[in-house]
Amino acid sequence: MTKLYIKYFFVISFLCVANKVSAQTYFQDSIIISKIYNEALTKGKSYGMLQYLCNNIGHRLSGSNTAQIAVNWTQTSMSKMGFDQVYLQEVMVPRWIRGEKETAFIEEKGIVNQVSICALGGSVGTGGGGIKAEMIEVKSFEELKARNVDSVRGRIVFFNSAMDASELNPFDAYSKAVYQRVNGAIEAAKLGAIGVIVRSMNVSIDDYPHTGSVRYSPTVNRIPAAAISTLDAEFLAKRLKNNPCLKFQFRLSCDTLPDVKSYNVVAEIKGYEVPEEIILVGGHLDSWDLGTGAHDDGAGCVQSMEALRLFKALGIRPKRTVRAVLFMNEENGLRGGLEYARQAKLLNEKHIAAIESDAGGFTPRGFGIDADAATITKIEAWKELLAPYGLSEIGKGHGGADISPLKEQNTALLGLSPDPQRYFDFHHSALDRFEGVNKRELELGAASMAAMLYLLSTYGL
Amino acid sequence: MTKLYIKYFFVISFLCVANKVSAQTYFQDSIIISKIYNEALTKGKSYGMLQYLCNNIGHRLSGSNTAQIAVNWTQTSMSKMGFDQVYLQEVMVPRWIRGEKETAFIEEKGIVNQVSICALGGSVGTGGGGIKAEMIEVKSFEELKARNVDSVRGRIVFFNSAMDASELNPFDAYSKAVYQRVNGAIEAAKLGAIGVIVRSMNVSIDDYPHTGSVRYSPTVNRIPAAAISTLDAEFLAKRLKNNPCLKFQFRLSCDTLPDVKSYNVVAEIKGYEVPEEIILVGGHLDSWDLGTGAHDDGAGCVQSMEALRLFKALGIRPKRTVRAVLFMNEENGLRGGLEYARQAKLLNEKHIAAIESDAGGFTPRGFGIDADAATITKIEAWKELLAPYGLSEIGKGHGGADISPLKEQNTALLGLSPDPQRYFDFHHSALDRFEGVNKRELELGAASMAAMLYLLSTYGL
């Protein structure tokens, strides 16, 4: 048992001398939060669940067999936890398949060097013979557009702007660099390029290509798009400097099949006082297919399941309804998040707040809040209760992709903010496996979700 | 370049409307600190230095050949960095050697199970034939002392109190459990035990034994002492429950040779305004021998070297003298720290403050300060400048073992506080290798050391 709540009692008693009721309430809250962390750290189930999800089931690419197995397993697991209801919510999802492992080669003066690439999610394939062409390297769309069209037409465009290591938060660096991956194929195809190779979204220099979704436009030719590892991006840039006429050859066997049926997985404990007000915790169950989606976002799923389990294990009866949602298809469509919000509107459900964990299973540092100023102020006031657990960064910020469609219903959106420094080493790559997740860090995140869920379900907004 | 200092300017401007000079000074400080982080994150040398130290040199057990190579290499490296002086400070250190890899077996009813152990640092050996005896398991010294002396005499004592996972900070759990490792051999020998096996100081359940120093008393028989992995501690406890009469056999080839000459490595940049006032940054160069001492404490050493290098690279001329000290023999003697403080006193050197990094190369969260209340308040006031870099936990706390002997000279002692959740997975085990350190986390720690060094050298205390 941590002794924090005892220490905290004196702080609160001091702060609240003029308000005995408030001091008493806060003391009770601090005890419950202490119990949540204690249970998560000593008898937590999140780590074991993540191990099963990643190692026994595997990746959960939308529409895949393993994604369906994960739907069944999480439904069954939560059904055994004794919640008030557990159900599936049907949603049609894209069915993109990677096919055979991708290959790529740099050819110059009779020398051939193989480099590490992977197809971007949603890319068209190259056909069995692959694509072989000269290449131009650019570091921005402006640079691309300034090129002579003749220098782009028939060539492969290599987008090689690195994530800015000087950004303290790598998520900020990601936001500024990811346009290349998302829209690079459209911009390059507009100028007649026949393929794009994008530097992996990763600050580290290593040999793992990182996938992620690519967009196409209905009015622009769809050209194959792949990510190259940061190590090989550096190598390729050097070779191009020496020999601008080198040939780049790559082959992608990926394809998009018709949409298939899949599901969001939903579990809830009914509120005993204001059951019609819902507080949601969630993550996304789908993942990319190179690793097994441990940080992205197996972590968020098992933390959401664990948040509700902690309520049951500790006998916490919520005043408002608490609901765990494992969304399908965040990575390449957001269909689960969109369908969930659509159903909520149809059913006239009232979502007061939604908390998403989709930034990795690392030591939690706070919550970002996407809501009006008064709501942010109200949630910030709980910092006193949460800062003793390392949650000192609570304020305006990002909620999460899956919960973002709820914004139009005026739901306060919260995103768990774990330490961000290591996330992009794993993100969308073969390294995103169970072994990359630390047990205590994951458990602390689950407890933090549960603590915020407890406060929101107790006090509303 | 981060944009934090621009944002920060407005905050400070607002806070300091009544004090234009202070606002201006703080703005300049914020720019310098921003440059420090920028340089560390984009052109930092700490990660490359750690790679060399761990992978090319290896472990640095006090008195070993590799420890001497590390002394030479760090001296040479810092000499090339253009500091005002780099020198060695002689110190005699213990020379304990592990010898052949340890072995241990549980024997019962003709079945033999091998378990993972390692000798504790400083332990006597068992002799070539090893020790084989019945065993008693205890979870505290009170429990041991309450035993009938006859049940202890001639047996091996198994100290199996686990680190408390419910402690939010695993260092607190370590502090409460480590007595078994440090003093277990004395307490067990007092009652006639012939050996001790101690559960590894690790919250995780894994198969790596964790070493660390054991104490002996001049008046009590010295008995062999080893750590067992947490996984095998659990297994052994189960077997003992089933069969209290099982035999435990172990063999340690370790030995203590005569003390040998070694060195602290010292580098400094002279202050241009108050050169007689010294601000120290340091870590310990020695390590245990099972891994290569990456987190403990190669990280602290390269961060200290990097802190001074950042001053040179950015053209920061310190008002007070800044000194990097790589201490020898923290792990099994603290001889380097003691000798450094003795020399400082002899030479009448005035150490205003000393900052140690010896809690791993993880994302920095703040500094613990061991000083009088007024000094702590003064340092806490810099939180505004440092919190934008994640350093929100600045306050009363622990400095560091190597700098602790400076306390009698009234030096303010500061300890870099990184995220503590993963430290004991690595600590004193074969897992403490370069691969366990993240580049950005290490670099952020180095920048944080340099930022605090800059403020202390600019303003004094």
Side-chain angles (χ1 to χ4, degrees):
Chain A
M1 188 74 167
T2 73
K3 289 180 305 183
L4 263 172
Y5 71 86
I6 297 170
K7 185 174 156 196
Y8 190 67
F9 175 65
F10 294 106
V11 176
I12 290 299
S13 299
F14 176 77
L15 291 170
C16 303
V17 280
N19 187 341
K20 280 188 183 176
V21 178
S22 174
Q24 181 63 21
T25 308
Y26 266 61
F27 180 52
Q28 284 164 358
D29 290 340
S30 72
I31 290 180
I32 289 173
I33 292 172
S34 168
K35 285 181 178 171
I36 286 172
Y37 278 90
N38 194 63
E39 169 78 15
L41 287 171
T42 59
K43 297 176 207 145
K45 305 291 183 200
S46 54
Y47 194 65
M49 290 194 287
L50 187 64
Q51 185 172 32
Y52 191 91
L53 191 63
C54 294
N55 292 352
N56 293 49
I57 298 176
H59 81 71
R60 301 167 302 280
L61 189 61
S62 285
S64 65
N65 290 338
T66 44
Q68 184 56 43
I69 295 170
V71 165
N72 298 341
W73 179 74
T74 51
Q75 183 191 22
T76 306
S77 298
M78 291 201 284
S79 295
K80 289 177 188 163
M81 289 179 187
F83 304 140
D84 294 331
Q85 59 170 334
V86 178
Y87 58 93
L88 301 182
Q89 189 175 60
E90 193 177 309
V91 55
M92 295 302 289
V93 298
R95 175 85 177 103
W96 177 79
I97 54 167
R98 185 171 299 279
E100 280 174 42
K101 185 165 166 45
E102 304 85 344
T103 54
F105 304 92
I106 301 171
E107 297 184 19
E108 45 177 338
K109 300 168 190 163
I111 299 167
V112 176
N113 277 296
Q114 183 155 14
V115 290
S116 295
I117 67 156
C118 67
L120 294 182
S123 175
V124 295
T126 57
I131 286 176
K132 183 172 172 177
E134 287 186 8
M135 180 169 246
I136 63 158
E137 178 192 359
V138 295
K139 299 211 168 172
S140 69
F141 285 170
E142 290 65 39
E143 191 184 336
L144 175 68
K145 287 169 189 168
R147 290 293 182 107
N148 185 318
V149 175
D150 287 340
S151 75
V152 181
R153 189 180 299 126
R155 290 196 170 77
I156 298 165
V157 175
F158 171 32
F159 290 103
N160 192 27
S161 177
M163 275 174 68
D164 181 358
S166 77
E167 288 283 354
L168 284 175
N169 189 330
F171 283 83
D172 292 336
Y174 179 73
S175 298
K176 290 178 185 170
V178 74
Y179 71 92
Q180 307 168 85
R181 192 199 75 206
V182 175
N183 292 315
I186 295 174
E187 296 304 321
K190 279 183 191 169
L191 300 175
I194 58 169
V196 295
I197 298 293
V198 183
R199 182 189 180 99
S200 285
M201 296 294 122
N202 178 11
V203 192
S204 299
I205 303 298
D206 66 29
D207 206 19
Y208 293 88
H210 294 232
T211 192
S213 59
V214 60
R215 279 196 201 136
Y216 290 123
S217 157
T219 60
V220 180
N221 189 27
R222 293 172 176 234
I223 58 175
I228 186 166
S229 75
T230 49
L231 190 69
D232 281 338
E234 303 269 288
F235 176 68
L236 177 55
K238 270 186 202 158
R239 296 314 316 148
L240 277 168
K241 205 166 179 180
N242 272 355
N243 181 5
C245 298
L246 63 76
K247 295 277 176 62
F248 192 88
Q249 178 180 9
F250 72 114
R251 183 172 174 276
L252 311 181
S253 311
C254 45
D255 199 5
T256 299
L257 309 180
D259 286 2
V260 296
K261 196 190 289 182
S262 188
Y263 305 91
N264 295 325
V265 186
V266 186
E268 73 173 32
I269 304 174
K270 272 265 178 292
Y272 72 86
E273 203 173 278
V274 201
E276 69 279 11
E277 295 194 353
I278 298 165
I279 319 291
L280 181 157
V281 279
H284 63 85
L285 191 52
D286 69 302
S287 74
W288 288 110
D289 55 328
L290 298 175
T292 54
H295 281 294
D296 186 13
D297 182 27
C301 290
V302 300
Q303 286 171 333
S304 301
M305 294 164 76
E306 173 76 349
L308 258 61
R309 191 200 68 81
L310 288 167
F311 271 55
K312 290 298 286 184
L314 296 168
I316 301 172
R317 291 182 58 223
K319 284 191 182 170
R320 290 166 180 77
T321 294
V322 295
R323 191 180 276 184
V325 183
L326 315 183
F327 294 94
M328 185 51 70
N329 185 231
E330 188 269 352
E331 295 293 3
N332 53 339
L334 205 69
R335 301 274 186 90
L338 292 164
E339 179 61 17
Y340 183 85
R342 196 180 71 87
Q343 290 288 340
K345 202 172 175 182
L346 278 177
L347 298 167
N348 213 17
E349 287 180 340
K350 190 175 173 190
H351 285 75
I352 299 297
I355 314 168
E356 180 154 4
S357 166
D358 186 21
F362 305 101
T363 301
R365 300 199 66 147
F367 291 92
I369 310 165
D370 180 0
D372 60 65
T375 301
I376 293 176
T377 302
K378 180 158 187 183
I379 296 172
E380 281 176 339
W382 295 329
K383 204 183 278 188
E384 293 177 74
L385 282 161
L386 300 171
Y389 300 91
L391 302 172
S392 52
E393 297 172 9
I394 299 176
K396 193 168 172 4
H398 179 62
D402 297 287
I403 58 176
S404 62
L406 290 168
K407 193 166 169 67
E408 102 178 57
Q409 295 165 44
N410 212 21
T411 305
L413 308 181
L414 288 84
L416 181 70
S417 305
D419 185 280
Q421 299 304 330
R422 291 162 280 154
Y423 187 66
F424 292 96
D425 289 353
F426 301 100
H427 186 241
H428 295 184
S429 82
L431 285 177
D432 191 7
R433 296 188 307 257
F434 176 70
E435 294 69 24
V437 178
N438 176 278
K439 184 170 181 282
R440 283 181 66 84
E441 292 194 290
L442 184 75
E443 289 166 348
L444 286 169
S448 302
M449 298 275 278
M452 184 54 88
L453 187 64
Y454 164 74
L455 291 169
L456 286 165
S457 64
T458 303
Y459 297 105
L461 280 175
Chain B
M1 190 72 166
T2 74
K3 289 179 304 184
L4 263 172
Y5 71 86
I6 297 170
K7 185 174 158 197
Y8 190 68
F9 176 66
F10 294 106
V11 176
I12 289 300
S13 300
F14 177 76
L15 290 170
C16 303
V17 280
N19 187 341
K20 279 188 182 175
V21 178
S22 175
Q24 182 62 24
T25 308
Y26 267 61
F27 180 52
Q28 284 166 357
D29 290 340
S30 72
I31 290 181
I32 289 173
I33 292 171
S34 169
K35 285 182 177 171
I36 286 172
Y37 278 90
N38 194 64
E39 169 78 15
L41 287 171
T42 59
K43 297 177 208 145
K45 305 291 184 200
S46 53
Y47 194 65
M49 290 194 287
L50 187 64
Q51 185 172 31
Y52 191 90
L53 190 63
C54 294
N55 291 353
N56 293 51
I57 297 176
H59 81 70
R60 301 166 302 279
L61 189 61
S62 285
S64 65
N65 290 338
T66 44
Q68 184 55 44
I69 294 170
V71 165
N72 298 341
W73 180 73
T74 51
Q75 183 190 22
T76 306
S77 299
M78 290 202 283
S79 296
K80 288 177 188 163
M81 289 179 187
F83 304 141
D84 294 330
Q85 59 170 336
V86 178
Y87 58 93
L88 301 183
Q89 189 175 59
E90 193 177 309
V91 55
M92 295 301 289
V93 298
R95 176 86 177 103
W96 177 80
I97 55 167
R98 185 171 299 280
E100 279 174 43
K101 186 164 166 47
E102 303 85 345
T103 54
F105 304 91
I106 301 170
E107 297 185 19
E108 44 176 338
K109 299 166 189 162
I111 299 167
V112 176
N113 278 295
Q114 183 156 12
V115 290
S116 295
I117 67 156
C118 67
L120 293 183
S123 175
V124 295
T126 57
I131 286 177
K132 183 172 172 177
E134 287 186 7
M135 179 169 247
I136 63 157
E137 177 192 0
V138 295
K139 298 211 170 173
S140 68
F141 285 171
E142 291 65 40
E143 191 184 336
L144 176 67
K145 287 170 188 168
R147 290 293 182 106
N148 185 319
V149 175
D150 288 338
S151 75
V152 181
R153 189 179 298 125
R155 288 194 171 78
I156 298 165
V157 175
F158 171 32
F159 290 102
N160 192 27
S161 177
M163 275 174 68
D164 181 358
S166 77
E167 288 284 354
L168 284 174
N169 188 329
F171 283 83
D172 293 336
Y174 178 73
S175 297
K176 289 178 185 170
V178 75
Y179 72 91
Q180 307 167 88
R181 192 198 75 206
V182 175
N183 293 314
I186 295 174
E187 296 303 321
K190 279 182 190 170
L191 300 175
I194 59 169
V196 296
I197 298 293
V198 183
R199 182 189 180 100
S200 284
M201 296 295 122
N202 179 12
V203 191
S204 299
I205 302 298
D206 66 30
D207 206 19
Y208 293 89
H210 295 232
T211 190
S213 59
V214 60
R215 279 196 200 136
Y216 290 123
S217 157
T219 60
V220 180
N221 189 28
R222 294 171 174 235
I223 59 175
I228 186 167
S229 74
T230 49
L231 191 69
D232 281 338
E234 303 269 290
F235 176 68
L236 176 56
K238 270 187 201 156
R239 296 315 314 149
L240 277 168
K241 206 166 179 180
N242 273 354
N243 181 5
C245 297
L246 63 77
K247 293 279 174 62
F248 192 88
Q249 177 181 9
F250 71 112
R251 183 171 174 275
L252 311 181
S253 310
C254 46
D255 199 4
T256 300
L257 309 180
D259 286 1
V260 297
K261 196 189 286 181
S262 188
Y263 304 92
N264 294 326
V265 186
V266 186
E268 74 172 34
I269 305 173
K270 273 264 178 291
Y272 73 86
E273 202 174 279
V274 201
E276 69 278 12
E277 294 195 354
I278 299 165
I279 318 291
L280 182 158
V281 279
H284 64 85
L285 192 51
D286 69 303
S287 75
W288 288 112
D289 57 327
L290 298 175
T292 55
H295 282 293
D296 186 13
D297 183 28
C301 289
V302 300
Q303 286 171 333
S304 301
M305 295 164 76
E306 173 76 349
L308 258 61
R309 189 199 70 80
L310 289 167
F311 271 55
K312 290 298 286 185
L314 295 168
I316 301 172
R317 290 183 58 223
K319 284 190 183 172
R320 290 168 180 75
T321 294
V322 296
R323 191 181 275 184
V325 182
L326 316 183
F327 295 94
M328 185 50 70
N329 186 231
E330 188 269 351
E331 295 293 3
N332 54 339
L334 206 69
R335 300 273 186 92
L338 292 165
E339 179 61 16
Y340 183 85
R342 196 180 72 86
Q343 290 287 341
K345 200 171 175 182
L346 277 177
L347 298 167
N348 213 16
E349 287 180 340
K350 191 175 173 188
H351 285 75
I352 300 296
I355 314 168
E356 180 154 6
S357 166
D358 185 21
F362 306 101
T363 301
R365 300 199 65 147
F367 290 92
I369 310 165
D370 180 359
D372 60 66
T375 301
I376 293 175
T377 303
K378 179 157 188 185
I379 296 171
E380 281 175 339
W382 295 329
K383 204 184 280 188
E384 294 177 76
L385 282 161
L386 300 172
Y389 299 91
L391 302 173
S392 52
E393 298 172 8
I394 299 177
K396 193 169 172 6
H398 180 61
D402 297 287
I403 57 177
S404 62
L406 290 169
K407 193 166 168 67
E408 100 177 60
Q409 297 165 44
N410 212 23
T411 305
L413 307 181
L414 288 84
L416 181 71
S417 304
D419 186 279
Q421 299 304 331
R422 293 162 279 153
Y423 186 66
F424 292 96
D425 290 353
F426 300 100
H427 186 242
H428 295 184
S429 82
L431 286 177
D432 190 8
R433 296 188 307 257
F434 176 70
E435 293 70 24
V437 178
N438 177 277
K439 184 170 180 284
R440 283 182 66 85
E441 291 194 292
L442 184 74
E443 289 166 349
L444 286 169
S448 302
M449 297 275 279
M452 183 55 89
L453 187 64
Y454 165 74
L455 291 169
L456 286 165
S457 64
T458 303
Y459 297 106
L461 281 176

